[in-house]
Amino acid sequence: MYIYVGSRTTRERNARGKGISVFHFDRDSARLALVQEQGGLVNPSFLAIDRAGRHLYTVHGDCDQVSSFSIDAQSGMIEYLGSQTTQGKNPVHLALSASERFLLVSNHLSSSLAVLPVTPDGLIEPPVQRLVLHGPVGPHRSEQPHSKPHFNLFDPSGRFVMVPDKGLDRIFSFEFIDGRLRESNPPFVECREHAGPRNLVFHPKLSRAYVVNELDSSVATYRFDPDKGGLQPMQIIPTLPQDFTGNSRASSIEIDPSGKFLYASNRGLDCLAVFSIDQASGWLTFLGVQETLGRTPRFFTVEPSGRFLFVANEDSDSIVTFLRDPISGGLTQVGDITPVTSPVSIVFRTI
């Protein structure tokens, strides 16, 4: 299995990253071996890969562009193909449509979404739609001055797109038809004031969606309507232990492939919150936290088999590999702690 790690690279971000790092992962030793460092890139801060493992895509944080790369089938190494404007400032997330003919991008500081066609050869074409999000801003003086879309996730059918908006305390829902976004009915769900919804994940078996809220360090559970794309609130639960009274912000969220456990990262306490998921209702139960053995776990992910979980500790320049217990959901650090400067995104190629 090959692992691709995106990093922040600019002085303005106090970053030390070199670009995109390619690693080969040995499952027996649980060690990462560096294959390639693709430098000369500005803040390749979120990555996506197509199902066939032929092309890699990245946004360039704080800029206004996305880029694509071809992937060598044998070595896993990448080669630059080209870039395209997102018609917005600071693209932070991108996702391929179900057909893989379009990229959807969230422009965090321009309060907009962009739809860009993708050719079969992996080239990105100019945007065919730019949609600006509107609404009353949240109460946080510095973090909620305007709409701030942070994520855009297609539902399991590929028909709907959910967009958590950190600035408006809303989660927008769009229908994606013929490469265009159209408001769902209802078009959004209101979150708790000052929540700051950031990332979202769908349950692999139940019609449930889970949103990690950055500003109040919580996870919200929603019933998802697969016919209309709407979200109905069910539950909200903290990502921090009751005895923690310091400053921390939630960041990333994942569910293991079995759908039994959910994880959310906390930056400040620097840990992963571990929750069990009731298999009938989708309700969460807080089980505890696991230290990430590094500072600022902006991103983490569970690899496709569900056996391993990888944490990108941005401010301690490391990738930490954990072995997952499929019964308890617990995490045990394995292999070596891998040095990677300013890591903020990880994707896998298992072909």
Side-chain angles (χ1 to χ4, degrees):
M1 179 170 69
Y2 289 98
I3 294 179
Y4 300 83
V5 180
S7 64
R8 284 178 167 169
T9 63
T10 60
R11 183 175 301 175
E12 291 78 8
R13 288 285 184 169
N14 297 315
R16 302 154 300 283
K18 298 178 181 178
I20 298 175
S21 302
V22 183
F23 293 90
H24 180 265
F25 179 64
D26 183 276
R27 293 179 181 273
D28 294 329
S29 66
R31 288 185 170 87
L32 292 167
L34 183 64
V35 173
Q36 179 189 14
E37 285 184 340
Q38 178 72 47
L41 305 174
V42 177
N43 294 330
S45 53
F46 201 92
L47 308 178
I49 194 168
D50 62 5
R51 288 187 294 271
R54 295 177 57 237
H55 300 110
L56 180 76
Y57 303 90
T58 184
V59 295
H60 295 282
D62 296 334
C63 299
D64 64 350
Q65 292 196 327
V66 290
S67 296
S68 62
F69 301 81
S70 62
I71 302 175
D72 183 81
Q74 299 302 317
S75 69
M77 296 177 67
I78 61 175
E79 183 177 351
Y80 175 73
L81 292 176
S83 299
Q84 191 60 252
T85 179
T86 66
Q87 296 182 351
K89 181 68 173 176
N90 191 20
V92 292
H93 184 255
L94 77 170
L96 283 163
S97 67
S99 68
E100 298 193 336
R101 294 174 48 223
F102 297 94
L103 272 177
L104 181 58
V105 178
S106 292
N107 289 311
H108 189 58
L109 294 184
S110 296
S111 308
S112 64
L113 307 173
V115 179
L116 301 93
V118 178
T119 72
D121 295 328
L123 296 175
I124 307 171
E125 297 182 336
V128 293
Q129 184 182 20
R130 179 177 179 271
L131 190 151
V132 178
L133 303 178
H134 299 282
V137 299
H140 197 293
R141 292 184 179 181
S142 60
E143 292 290 345
Q144 296 181 309
H146 52 74
S147 163
K148 286 186 171 183
H150 214 295
F151 204 71
N152 47 259
L153 183 67
F154 287 89
D155 83 309
S157 74
R159 178 183 171 191
F160 296 102
V161 179
M162 302 293 117
V163 182
D165 192 312
K166 173 181 163 181
L168 304 185
D169 287 327
R170 286 179 174 178
I171 304 165
F172 289 92
S173 175
F174 297 94
E175 192 169 12
F176 193 73
I177 302 175
D178 297 328
R180 300 293 188 278
L181 294 165
R182 184 176 68 186
E183 280 189 353
S184 299
N185 184 21
F188 59 84
V189 63
E190 297 277 7
C191 303
R192 177 181 293 176
E193 189 177 75
H194 195 275
R198 179 183 174 97
N199 285 8
L200 181 148
V201 65
F202 285 99
H203 193 278
K205 300 174 183 177
L206 304 173
S207 293
R208 300 290 184 268
Y210 301 87
V211 176
V212 64
N213 297 309
E214 175 181 344
L215 300 182
D216 71 357
S217 298
S218 68
V219 173
T221 304
Y222 296 88
R223 292 183 179 88
F224 173 66
D225 184 341
D227 296 320
K228 296 183 178 180
L231 297 175
Q232 180 184 356
M234 282 180 56
Q235 178 194 24
I236 191 165
I237 186 170
T239 64
L240 299 168
Q242 292 183 355
D243 61 355
F244 180 76
T245 60
N247 293 317
S248 191
R249 291 189 178 184
S251 179
S252 192
I253 188 169
E254 281 272 350
I255 293 178
D256 78 299
S258 74
K260 295 180 179 179
F261 299 99
L262 181 144
Y263 304 87
S265 58
N266 294 298
R267 298 170 294 173
L269 186 56
D270 292 337
C271 66
L272 297 184
V274 185
F275 302 87
S276 64
I277 305 174
D278 184 274
Q279 296 300 285
S281 67
W283 277 66
L284 301 178
T285 299
F286 181 71
L287 299 180
V289 298
Q290 166 66 52
E291 294 182 2
T292 61
L293 308 180
R295 299 195 314 276
T296 319
R298 176 182 173 89
F299 184 88
F300 73 94
T301 186
V302 180
E303 54 92 19
S305 77
R307 185 181 176 194
F308 296 99
L309 182 151
F310 298 85
V311 178
N313 289 308
E314 180 181 3
D315 288 336
S316 56
D317 299 333
S318 63
I319 300 289
V320 181
T321 305
F322 291 92
L323 183 67
R324 290 187 59 258
D325 185 321
I327 305 301
S328 69
L331 303 169
T332 303
Q333 191 263 321
V334 291
D336 300 323
I337 295 179
T338 305
V340 185
T341 46
S342 304
V344 290
S345 180
I346 301 171
V347 293
F348 306 100
R349 182 180 183 272
T350 58
I351 306 301

